[in-house]
Amino acid sequence: AQRACALEVLSLDSMDAYEALMKAEAKAAAADPVRKAALAAIGDESWQAGVAAFVDSHAAEFAPGKERQPNWSTRHEEFQEQLEGSLEDVLGRAGVDPTQTLQALCSPPAPPPGLTPLPRAAELPLRAFVDYDAFEEMMRGGI
């Protein structure tokens, strides 16, 4: 909401600056499958609800201060199985190649030059799908 308000003020102040910002964002989203997928996932109620339901149902196991448990890798596999279909739908609607996106998610995030970085919570559930450490961060309260 704050960013939307800032963008509205920017557009009132300088429509040229606003258009330049939006063009840069569209270009970045088109060139970066992770960014494009994250932006699509943010707006997908089914994906968001699925992630939230999984995190809520297992949050107690990952409470801060708890030691890493062997069964957490099983939870990661369950997360992948439960949300695979929803993720495929998100990626399909976003028009991104699933293989390319999942490979890019395995790489450390690179901040886009000159663009507003996405909040960690925007891409963390996607990274959690392919990376155990990101999954544990998400389960321990990263989103």
Side-chain angles (χ1 to χ4, degrees):
Q2 293 167 339
R3 185 164 190 239
C5 184
L7 290 173
E8 185 174 350
V9 169
L10 178 61
S11 71
L12 294 172
D13 187 44
S14 169
M15 195 54 148
D16 290 338
Y18 175 77
E19 287 177 8
L21 178 67
M22 292 294 99
K23 286 177 183 176
E25 183 60 42
K27 186 177 179 181
D32 180 2
V34 172
R35 191 173 187 88
K36 191 171 184 180
L39 291 170
I42 289 169
D44 189 282
E45 290 181 24
S46 176
W47 169 258
Q48 293 294 329
V51 170
F54 188 90
V55 170
D56 289 347
S57 67
H58 300 290
E61 294 175 51
F62 293 84
K66 286 203 172 187
E67 295 289 323
R68 186 178 273 189
Q69 301 295 314
N71 70 325
W72 289 2
S73 60
T74 303
R75 290 287 182 245
H76 185 226
E77 292 169 8
E78 290 172 4
F79 175 72
Q80 291 169 322
E81 289 171 8
Q82 286 182 18
L83 290 164
E84 182 176 13
S86 182
L87 180 57
E88 287 175 357
D89 290 344
V90 168
L91 297 179
R93 284 191 297 278
V96 295
D97 178 81
T99 303
Q100 181 186 21
T101 303
L102 294 176
Q103 287 173 346
L105 283 166
C106 291
S107 304
L115 294 173
T116 303
L118 292 175
R120 179 83 171 136
E123 64 180 49
L124 185 60
L126 294 173
R127 289 197 184 281
F129 191 82
V130 297
D131 177 53
Y132 176 81
D133 290 332
F135 171 75
E136 189 175 322
E137 179 184 343
M138 178 183 74
M139 295 304 295
R140 287 186 176 264
I143 59 170

